[in-house]
């Protein structure tokens, strides 16, 4: 596809749950597919309501082909039964998430794939192939990925439309188990749609969450013989958030090394880092980590075993970290962790059975203790650092950041069978 100068967010006829056909909207919603990874999490969602969206995003069967066909058949059945119904006219959707002091508002639409969208992480080809097979079989985008862009910081253009729309009665409102309140509005007024389009055509976006789904959209378009820029496959479902008005939360993603006992992790350092035992609880350990200058990590073997690693050997850094990247990338905690500690010092293979990625510190510490392994607790990288590297075409080490709040799955779906606009 020929690249466009800016972002083009297209209206579509959203596919949404009929409230009268489900026990509640909360009961049919789910976190994104890659957050619901544990079998008990899937079972919890499946038992919440027989129509929970997890049956579409994470169907389970003996083989991939059966799983994908199962999701497609389930989608077809729910549409024919009136459980999912399509909105009468194409719209962009204003989506609001609120919990305590956290407020995020953005626009859900079908983003053309030829716009300036910056990735900051690589993808695993096998995951892209699996998601592509699922979307192709179902002819649908089940969940929006999260993109950020930088507006003017004022209530003009798209921001002005959003602020006006949220004063109206929403299409739906619900609160999920995590305490977030969700509201959704449809934007159909031609003047509002034009104002949004005029604004976004001057922007570029950063993929905050959903690299595999974005790569999946691109793969699906490439596989459609004769597809043009007007094809539904030439765009993908996204949530666009103006972080000049609604800054994203950026959290660290911690590593769990189940086969590396804490004593061996410390012994193998052999002067590569300074290691100091930290007294006290997890919160105190994380506070110490945040206050430490330069590269630093906390090693945890359990709820009462914490060591602070800092002051890495400069010669070791120089020998092990690739030189063809900007200095900002070379100094990232995640870069040092993977290039120095995991690859050079501990010789940990980059394989799911050897490295686990967890978003919550408590869960990481508990899992490490359960396996007799080691948790490496990390600090978050700022959105600005991620954006600057992405603008220079430099990707972060995998699982470097967790942006949020992530859009809930199940509020609005998009079909690709030619009836979406």
């Amino acid at each position: 596809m020929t690249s466009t100068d800016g972002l083009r967010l297209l209206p579509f006829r959203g596919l949404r749950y009929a409230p009268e056909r489900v026990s509640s909207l909360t009961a049919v919603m789910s976190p994104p597919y890659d957050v619901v990874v544990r079998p008990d999490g899937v079972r919890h969602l499946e038992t919440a309501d027989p129509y929970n969206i997890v049956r579409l995003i994470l169907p389970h069967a003996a083989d991939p082909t059966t799983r994908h066909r199962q999701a497609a058949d389930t989608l077809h059945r729910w549409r024919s039964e009136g459980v999912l119904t399509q909105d009468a006219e194409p719209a962009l959707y204003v989506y609001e998430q609120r919990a305590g002091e956290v407020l995020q508002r953005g626009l859900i639409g079908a983003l053309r794939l030829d716009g300036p969208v910056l990735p900051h992480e690589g993808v695993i080809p096998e995951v892209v192939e699996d998601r592509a097979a699922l979307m192709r079989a179902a002819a649908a985008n089940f969940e929006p990925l999260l993109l950020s862009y930088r507006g003017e910081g004022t209530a003009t253009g798209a921001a002005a439309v959003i602020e006006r729309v949220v004063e109206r009665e929403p299409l739906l409102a619900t609160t999920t188990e995590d305490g977030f309140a969700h509201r959704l509005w449809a934007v159909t007024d031609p003047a509002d749609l034009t104002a949004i389009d005029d604004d976004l055509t001057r922007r570029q976006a950063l993929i905050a969450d959903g690299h595999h789904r974005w790569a999946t959209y691109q793969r699906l378009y490439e596989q459609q013989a004769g597809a043009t820029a007007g094809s539904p496959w030439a765009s993908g479902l996204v949530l666009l958030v103006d972080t000049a008005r609604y800054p994203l939360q950026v959290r660290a993603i911690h590593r769990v090394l189940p086969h590396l006992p804490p004593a061996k992790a410390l012994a193998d350092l052999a002067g590569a880092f300074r290691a100091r035992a930290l007294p006290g609880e997890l919160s105190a350990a994380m506070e110490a980590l945040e206050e430490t200058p330069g590269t630093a990590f906390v090693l945890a073997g359990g709820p009462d075993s914490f060591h602070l690693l800092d002051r890495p050997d400069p010669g070791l850094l120089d020998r092990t970290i690739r030189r063809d990247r900007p200095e900002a990338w070379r100094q990232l905690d995640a870069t040092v962790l993977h290039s120095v500690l995991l690859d050079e010092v501990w010789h940990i293979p980059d394989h799911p059975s050897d490295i686990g990625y967890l978003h919550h510190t408590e869960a990481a510490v508990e899992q490490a203790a359960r396996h007799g392994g080691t948790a490496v607790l990390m600090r978050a990288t700022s959105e600005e650092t991620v954006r600057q590297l992405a603008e220079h075409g430099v990707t972060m080490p995998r699982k470097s950041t967790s942006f949020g709040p992530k859009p809930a799955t199940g509020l609005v779906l998009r079909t690709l069978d030619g009836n979406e606009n």
Side-chain angles (χ1 to χ4, degrees), residues 317-331:
L317 298 182
D318 191 56
R319 291 195 307 274
T320 55
I321 298 177
R322 56 191 296 179
R323 300 170 182 271
D324 60 344
R325 296 294 178 91
E327 191 62 25
W329 183 90
R330 290 170 52 84
Q331 294 179 2

Side-chain angles (χ1 to χ4, degrees), residues 108-240:
I108 294 177
L111 188 67
R112 276 183 49 168
L113 305 181
D114 54 357
V117 174
L118 305 174
H120 71 267
E121 288 184 2
V123 297
I124 302 171
E126 294 81 2
V127 175
V128 174
E129 288 298 337
D130 181 72
R131 301 317 291 180
L134 175 66
M135 289 189 204
R136 185 167 54 248
N141 297 156
F142 291 134
E143 49 189 338
L145 56 90
L146 176 62
L147 302 182
S148 72
Y149 71 97
R150 300 287 294 179
E152 308 298 337
T154 58
T156 57
V161 175
I162 291 173
E163 300 308 320
R164 284 199 306 272
V165 168
V166 297
E167 297 299 320
R168 305 195 314 237
E169 191 72 18
L171 286 176
L172 60 86
T174 190
T175 301
T176 44
E177 290 181 349
D178 58 6
F180 270 91
H182 307 261
R183 297 197 295 171
L184 192 76
W185 296 262
V187 180
T188 57
D189 180 83
D192 285 342
L193 295 174
T194 297
I196 292 171
D197 188 54
D198 289 345
D199 186 0
L200 294 182
T201 53
R202 299 181 289 118
R203 314 293 179 194
Q204 65 177 6
L206 173 74
I207 301 177
D209 184 72
H211 285 80
H212 286 91
R213 279 167 284 168
W214 184 254
T216 296
Y217 295 161
Q218 294 174 317
R219 178 68 53 83
L220 288 170
Y221 175 76
E222 293 167 358
Q223 292 174 345
Q224 298 303 309
T228 65
S231 164
W233 300 92
S235 55
L237 188 64
V238 306
L239 167 64
L240 267 178

Side-chain angles (χ1 to χ4, degrees), residues 358-386:
L358 279 80
H359 293 73
H360 300 290
T361 52
E362 294 85 354
V365 172
E366 290 171 4
Q367 188 173 114
R370 188 164 61 250
H371 292 284
T374 300
V376 183
L377 306 181
M378 312 279 290
R379 298 175 294 199
T381 303
S382 72
E383 180 188 353
E384 190 55 34
T385 296
V386 176

